[in-house]
Amino acid sequence: MPDDLICAKCDSNADCSDISKTARRRREAVDGSHYGYWTIDCQGRLLDVNDTYARQSGFPRRELLRMAIRDLDACDDPAEMQCHLDRVLRIGHGVFETVHRRKDGTFWPVHVAAFADPGHGANIFAFLTDLTERKREEDAQRIAAVVFDSGEATVVTDADQKILKVNRAFTQITGYAAAEVIGKTPKILQSGRHDDSFYAAMWHSVLGMGQWRGEVWDRRKNGDIYPKWLTVSTVKDQDGNTTHYIGSFQDVSERKKNEARIRELAFHDQLTGLANRVLLFDRLATMMETSTRAGDYLAVILIDLDQFKLLNDTRGHDVGDRLLKAIASKLLASVRAHDVVARLGGDEFVVGMTTSSTERTNARTQAAAVCEKIRTAITDPVELGGVPFCTTASIGVSLFQGDRVTVDDALKQADLAMYRAKSAGRNAVRFFSPDMEAKLTQRVRLEAELREAIEREQFVLHYQLQVDIDGQPTGAEGLLRWQHPDRGLVPPSEFIPLAEEIGLISGIGRLVLRLACAQLATWASNPATEFLTISVNVSAKEFHEEEFVSHVLATLAETAANPARLEIELTEGAMAHDVESLVLKMSVLHKQGVRFSLDDFGTGYSSLMLLKRLPIDQIKIDQSFVRDILLDERDAALVKTVVSLGRALGLTVVAEGVETRAQRDFLARSGCRIFQGFYFSRPVEIEAIERMLLPDPVRDIRSR
Ligand code: C2E
Ligand code: MG
Ligand code: MG
């Protein structure tokens, strides 16, 4: 018996004679109990307390016996405790839960079973159970239940794989309610997509390592098959025996769809769904690798729609997009399934195909057949907004064996060949050949040199005299020459078209105009030359530039040249577009006195209507008609017609390329009054032309 056992009645020790044997036994039982125990009087003061309560509360027993129940109870509402005690006194017993405070200030939940002490008036004795552990377990279970239902789909089976429990997410994903699956095995979820060896490997891992993770295709209750990411874990008891299996999974069909979409975006052209550049390069590289082994030729076919920009600009991007989609379908229909069809952007498509030949000629025939199929498919009209639309494509092909070229090079070669097809008039197929490359290299060099030539002003203007029927000079045409540091004088035909194409023509044109106007100003001060005109050739591109007119006027002003002595030669090409602006520009300059001449007349598509509308002063019969004027009756007839037409419209008619006396005489008889050609003078440097214009040489010209 503990030394500190104190009699509740006399406050003496346990040897007090008042403590009966029964009471003593009760004390022994109370003290040995793992329940806490105390007795309180009607004031709530503790009269007795056992070791267990002292231990649980952390207060020494002596201290407790000086305390009242209100010092220990820590429930939120002190009145509640009193209420419980009153009830016990009223009906003799009562159970309730409350919270007690430990000596260290912490709280512990307590279950109280209290009884009114029959032998001691208003005393109450109570057995107290510490609920800390139970509460903790309850919390844990509540949390587990929430976790079980809030996370991934979960299925718990026993060791025989019989389903014991599933959560809400399981039902949501599989479509099965808990009652429909409990007692069955997860096999009911199988889709049939995996064979036995798949499940054998899964169970091998679960049994061997306690876990398996991976993607499984299962079937929902409604029959849909879907992918899920599954983790199967084992639960073992203390002896290491498996008691349960837990399967947790997520439905990954959305994720897989997104992944597929991302792949689609990364490797496919969004508009047409064809391969994009990345996928094309990848596929071509693989094809090259395979064909290297087999030795078969490969063809990279580049298809560029003709005039696509025009369609886009005139009918809008929607219509353009519809055409591109239609072309994509046509291309797919023209090739075999293992060939690759890609869109590189804009209106540029590429087909990569393997031929089944190790021999170049055969391979070329095969590729040419595919190209022809593509070309004709593209020319078939496409319905665009209810209207049939016809288009064509220029096609370039690079044919090569295995990996002898890189994908990049193959595409460059096909591109080069495609440009050949374009310059051959479009709607054509061209195969790459090494000489194309040589020409390209040459062109690239020429371009660089031309840029440098402009910077260093390596140009001179030569002049060719124009004379009247009496051999009197009326003016001169300025003809440009490039003084190339290595190649000497380069004729305009070799650089003007390139300069036009790469946007350098206006720089060159400005130089020509400045030289011509300066020359006019010089001639104006000499009576022998003051009446002469100088004509300059202006290309269509240059003329249509916004600042052309203001630039001409500024140059005339700067050089103080007489505008009436300046003649601008335009070809019929300049009249091909934007007639309104053409008329306007010509009129502005014409009002200032500048004359206009229609060069190479008869080689383009002049409309008589335009001839009437435009402020043209002169037409120049192209030298190609003059050349055979004496041999070909049709040329002769043509020249006569042009002369009459010119006269009828009040225009001066100049014959170009006059090389012989006979030609000059025939032209004169036909009514032509001005001549230009080698017969009178070649295009020469200014010094040479001026020598001709001095009194003696002039006479010499007249005398011819
Ligand atoms: P074009 O304006 O029709 O010039 C006449 C061309 O015929 C000149 O060639 C001239 O040398 C040549 N020619 C003159 N008489 C005869 C002849 O009796 N027989 C033969 N066979 N040919 C004759 P060129 O100088 O080579 O110029 C060629 C073309 O280059 C010019 O044709 C013109 O369209 C263009 N061009 C020349 N200079 C310029 C320029 O400064 N700017 C622009 N944009 N084009 C120019
Ligand atoms: Mg000319
Ligand atoms: Mg001409």
Side-chain angles (χ1 to χ4, degrees):
M1 181 172 298
D3 294 343
D4 57 348
L5 177 66
I6 297 161
C7 171
K9 213 171 168 193
C10 64
D11 207 19
S12 64
N13 68 24
D15 294 330
C16 171
S17 57
D18 271 0
I19 298 176
S20 70
K21 272 200 175 128
T22 320
R24 204 178 291 270
R25 269 204 297 280
R26 195 179 80 191
R27 286 221 59 81
E28 280 170 18
V30 160
D31 281 341
S33 166
H34 62 271
Y35 293 108
Y37 171 84
W38 43 241
T39 307
I40 52 170
D41 64 13
C42 60
Q43 305 282 317
R45 285 181 303 227
L46 267 81
L47 301 175
D48 192 8
V49 64
N50 73 350
D51 282 343
T52 306
Y53 185 83
R55 197 174 56 250
Q56 286 169 336
S57 68
F59 289 102
R61 202 158 144 191
R62 266 182 198 287
E63 201 174 326
L64 283 168
L65 290 172
R66 286 194 296 274
M67 293 166 81
I69 197 67
R70 64 175 170 277
D71 303 323
L72 293 165
D73 192 80
C75 86
D76 294 339
D77 182 6
E80 199 181 316
M81 181 55 155
Q82 196 53 52
C83 201
H84 289 310
L85 297 178
D86 290 347
R87 192 162 175 270
V88 171
L89 289 174
R90 213 169 49 246
I91 63 169
H93 57 86
V95 288
F96 56 90
E97 284 183 14
T98 185
V99 177
H100 281 189
R101 183 174 59 82
R102 292 193 186 89
K103 186 174 169 67
D104 64 8
T106 57
F107 301 98
W108 51 301
V110 182
H111 177 269
V112 184
F115 304 89
D117 189 346
H120 292 86
N123 286 3
I124 290 173
F125 65 90
F127 293 94
L128 301 103
T129 315
D130 182 355
L131 296 180
T132 308
E133 205 45 49
R134 205 184 82 196
K135 288 271 181 208
R136 196 175 290 148
E137 258 166 38
E138 276 174 11
D139 285 351
Q141 271 173 18
R142 223 176 35 252
I143 291 164
V146 172
V147 169
F148 187 68
D149 253 336
S150 63
E152 296 186 322
T154 306
V155 50
V156 182
T157 76
D158 63 13
D160 297 326
Q161 294 178 42
K162 290 253 159 42
I163 296 174
L164 300 175
K165 202 175 172 188
V166 296
N167 66 358
R168 253 200 304 265
F170 173 95
T171 302
Q172 273 162 10
I173 294 176
T174 64
Y176 288 107
E180 293 174 294
V181 292
I182 285 173
K184 298 182 178 154
T185 74
K187 278 190 182 152
I188 59 156
L189 304 174
Q190 289 181 4
S191 65
R193 269 218 187 176
H194 305 287
D195 55 15
D196 291 347
S197 63
F198 175 84
Y199 293 106
M202 174 197 284
W203 282 105
H204 182 77
S205 167
V206 173
L207 299 175
M209 303 197 282
Q211 202 176 56
W212 180 88
R213 241 179 244 270
E215 193 180 289
V216 181
W217 287 81
D218 270 359
R219 189 188 299 276
R220 299 187 218 272
K221 188 180 170 185
N222 66 8
D224 286 354
I225 291 178
Y226 68 103
K228 69 191 196 186
W229 183 254
L230 172 67
T231 305
V232 182
S233 315
T234 50
V235 180
K236 297 194 174 175
D237 63 14
Q238 285 157 344
D239 304 326
N241 300 317
T242 299
T243 56
H244 299 87
Y245 294 107
I246 297 179
S248 49
F249 59 88
Q250 291 163 303
D251 181 345
V252 291
S253 36
E254 250 341 278
R255 196 179 76 201
K256 284 192 93 73
K257 257 189 242 158
N258 288 343
E259 281 169 6
R261 178 92 188 107
I262 288 165
R263 260 201 311 278
E264 175 78 16
L265 286 177
F267 296 114
H268 291 86
D269 168 48
Q270 282 195 56
L271 177 70
T272 60
L274 295 179
N276 65 7
R277 181 179 284 272
V278 179
L279 185 57
L280 172 75
F281 271 59
D282 186 66
R283 291 285 308 277
L284 284 178
T286 314
M287 285 162 91
M288 280 159 119
E289 229 175 82
T290 324
S291 80
T292 307
R293 267 176 262 137
D296 289 340
Y297 271 87
L298 279 181
V300 169
I301 304 169
L302 195 120
I303 301 125
D304 190 282
L305 298 185
D306 297 326
Q307 315 278 23
F308 178 71
K309 193 175 168 313
L310 196 65
L311 171 80
N312 241 357
D313 291 350
T314 53
R315 306 233 352 234
H317 287 261
D318 277 3
V319 176
D321 285 357
R322 257 182 287 160
L323 177 69
L324 293 174
K325 283 189 199 171
I327 298 291
S329 313
K330 287 178 181 204
L331 291 178
L332 288 170
S334 307
V335 301
R336 295 158 305 174
H338 55 268
D339 296 331
V340 56
V341 181
R343 178 172 168 240
L344 289 191
D347 58 344
E348 226 176 41
F349 297 86
V350 172
V351 168
M353 62 169 277
T354 39
T355 70
S356 56
S357 180
T358 53
E359 204 268 312
R360 191 174 178 90
T361 317
N362 277 344
R364 191 186 158 108
T365 310
Q366 285 179 31
V370 173
C371 289
E372 196 46 32
K373 198 168 163 193
I374 291 173
R375 195 190 63 75
T376 42
I378 290 176
T379 53
D380 273 348
V382 176
E383 278 280 310
L384 291 181
V387 190
F389 179 80
C390 294
T391 190
T392 57
S394 300
I395 301 174
V397 192
S398 163
L399 196 66
F400 55 94
Q401 222 169 358
D403 54 5
R404 290 195 188 164
V405 293
T406 63
V407 173
D408 249 337
D409 287 345
L411 275 170
K412 271 187 205 139
Q413 292 182 352
D415 196 49
L416 209 57
M418 187 275 290
Y419 272 105
R420 267 310 162 81
K422 283 245 189 258
S423 44
R426 306 192 170 104
N427 190 19
V429 179
R430 289 290 178 273
F431 278 73
F432 170 81
S433 65
D435 72 294
M436 283 183 189
E437 207 155 25
K439 284 201 175 121
L440 180 75
T441 318
Q442 200 183 339
R443 191 193 133 110
V444 169
R445 189 176 337 116
L446 185 65
E447 193 178 321
E449 286 178 349
L450 197 53
R451 287 181 196 279
E452 201 180 308
I454 294 174
E455 236 168 66
R456 301 191 175 183
E457 301 206 347
Q458 291 171 348
F459 295 100
V460 284
L461 208 51
H462 280 194
Y463 294 88
Q464 185 176 33
L465 275 186
Q466 294 164 338
V467 300
D468 64 14
I469 192 115
D470 305 316
Q472 291 284 0
T474 57
E477 177 175 6
L479 292 160
L480 193 62
R481 305 292 179 254
W482 174 8
Q483 255 174 338
H484 193 282
D486 309 322
R487 288 160 58 200
L489 279 189
V490 181
S493 56
E494 286 184 31
F495 64 90
I496 293 279
L498 179 67
E500 283 178 351
E501 201 181 307
I502 61 179
L504 295 180
I505 193 65
S506 63
I508 294 178
R510 284 171 185 223
L511 176 75
V512 170
L513 195 68
R514 205 175 65 230
L515 291 171
C517 289
Q519 195 54 54
L520 275 177
T522 311
W523 280 357
S525 58
N526 187 333
T529 50
E530 63 175 355
F531 59 93
L532 296 170
T533 58
I534 291 184
S535 47
V536 289
N537 295 280
V538 172
S539 79
K541 242 193 174 158
E542 197 185 335
F543 188 83
H544 285 290
E545 270 180 14
E546 227 172 275
E547 289 164 357
F548 179 76
V549 171
S550 57
H551 180 72
V552 173
L553 296 175
T555 312
L556 283 166
E558 271 166 35
T559 54
N562 180 357
R565 298 279 177 265
L566 178 67
E567 206 163 70
I568 289 178
E569 293 194 6
L570 294 174
T571 56
E572 288 158 300
M575 332 237 142
H577 25 237
D578 204 354
V579 176
E580 293 310 314
S581 113
L582 179 77
V583 173
L584 192 75
K585 284 179 158 177
M586 285 176 79
S587 307
V588 172
L589 290 172
H590 204 249
K591 277 197 189 112
Q592 299 299 315
V594 176
R595 289 162 52 85
F596 283 97
S597 181
L598 193 50
D599 203 356
D600 304 344
F601 187 75
T603 56
Y605 302 93
S606 290
S607 111
L608 293 180
M609 196 62 179
L610 266 181
L611 271 187
K612 204 181 90 180
R613 250 185 101 187
L614 298 175
I616 293 173
D617 303 282
Q618 170 176 291
I619 47 181
K620 294 183 84 175
I621 304 174
D622 190 64
Q623 52 179 278
S624 58
F625 303 115
V626 174
R627 192 178 305 127
D628 294 333
I629 201 172
L630 300 171
L631 308 170
D632 190 332
E633 280 177 12
R634 280 171 307 177
D635 279 347
L638 248 159
V639 167
K640 281 183 186 161
T641 311
V642 173
V643 172
S644 333
L645 177 76
R647 281 186 159 180
L649 293 171
L651 307 173
T652 310
V653 179
V654 181
E656 282 191 295
V658 183
E659 294 187 352
T660 64
R661 172 94 205 185
Q663 285 172 341
R664 180 242 167 244
D665 291 346
F666 184 92
L667 287 160
R669 279 199 303 279
S670 305
C672 192
R673 291 291 168 267
I674 312 264
F675 311 95
Q676 180 182 342
F678 294 170
Y679 176 64
F680 304 98
S681 132
R682 286 190 173 260
V684 286
E685 291 165 344
I686 186 64
E687 294 79 12
I689 204 96
E690 282 184 339
R691 276 199 298 276
M692 286 185 224
L693 292 168
L694 289 174
D696 282 341
V698 169
R699 222 182 296 118
D700 180 42
I701 294 166
R702 280 183 192 142
S703 65
R704 288 185 184 207

